[in-house]
Amino acid sequence: MANPYGADVVAQYDRSFTEIPLRRYVELPSVDRVLGDVTGLAVLDLACGTGYYGKELRRRGATRVVGVDVSEDMIRATRAREEEDRLGVEYVVADAGALDDLDDFDLATGIHLLHYASSPGHLKDMCKSVGRNLKSGGRFIGYQLNPDVSR
């Protein structure tokens, strides 16, 4: 699988949680509010990056968290951190649009996922992957920026 990211992007991604005001003061509290209580839930964290949300979900009581990202560098970095701070989050390198049936999750998150769709067909495949991995009645929570935010 071609890897579109490198170590510099991994570092930038990690810093974005503290250095980008929109992320720190809008995204994080908004996602937190929408997630609500995750105690006892199995969660699929798509576009997990270096695992920020997945780790937070485990700390907040999710019983199982599986993080998925297309970037081998992101997953490599978060697996290394998992060795230092064992929270029990599992990580998979995969395209969310071609994701196997991993399990029946109570909740799937796609924070900054959908805008990575390369085409309308890829977006549809991402949605199918989400549906295939959610229990009946499960929730999908996504967060996307308006593409015109910088204008």
Side-chain angles (χ1 to χ4, degrees), residues 5 47 70 95-97 112-127 144:
Y5 307 108
V70 70
D95 180 334
H112 299 290
L113 166 69
L114 300 177
H115 66 273
Y116 282 108
S118 58
S119 68
H122 189 219
L123 179 60
K124 185 177 181 180
D125 290 340
M126 286 179 174
C127 294
Q144 306 303 311

Side-chain angles (χ1 to χ4, degrees), residues 7 9-15 17 48-52 55 59 73-89 91:
V9 174
V10 170
Q12 289 173 6
Y13 176 84
D14 284 340
R15 287 194 313 269
F17 287 96
C48 71
T50 58
Y52 178 90
K55 292 170 192 168
R59 288 184 189 104
D73 288 323
M74 293 282 195
I75 296 297
R76 186 179 308 110
T78 199
R79 282 180 178 155
R81 293 176 190 155
E82 179 70 22
E83 289 299 314
E84 297 168 8
D85 184 19
R86 294 183 187 267
L87 293 172
V89 179
Y91 297 101

Side-chain angles (χ1 to χ4, degrees), residues 63-140:
T63 55
R64 181 176 184 215
V65 177
V66 176
V68 176
D69 202 283
V70 70
S71 169
E72 294 171 11
D73 288 323
M74 293 282 195
I75 296 297
R76 186 179 308 110
T78 199
R79 282 180 178 155
R81 293 176 190 155
E82 179 70 22
E83 289 299 314
E84 297 168 8
D85 184 19
R86 294 183 187 267
L87 293 172
V89 179
E90 305 164 49
Y91 297 101
V92 176
V93 176
D95 180 334
L99 194 59
D100 293 331
D101 185 358
L102 299 177
D103 203 350
D104 288 328
F105 293 90
D106 301 295
L107 171 67
T109 61
I111 312 305
H112 299 290
L113 166 69
L114 300 177
H115 66 273
Y116 282 108
S118 58
S119 68
H122 189 219
L123 179 60
K124 185 177 181 180
D125 290 340
M126 286 179 174
C127 294
K128 286 180 180 179
S129 290
V130 169
R132 187 171 39 252
N133 282 283
L134 277 178
K135 290 180 179 177
S136 178
R139 294 186 304 152
F140 172 68

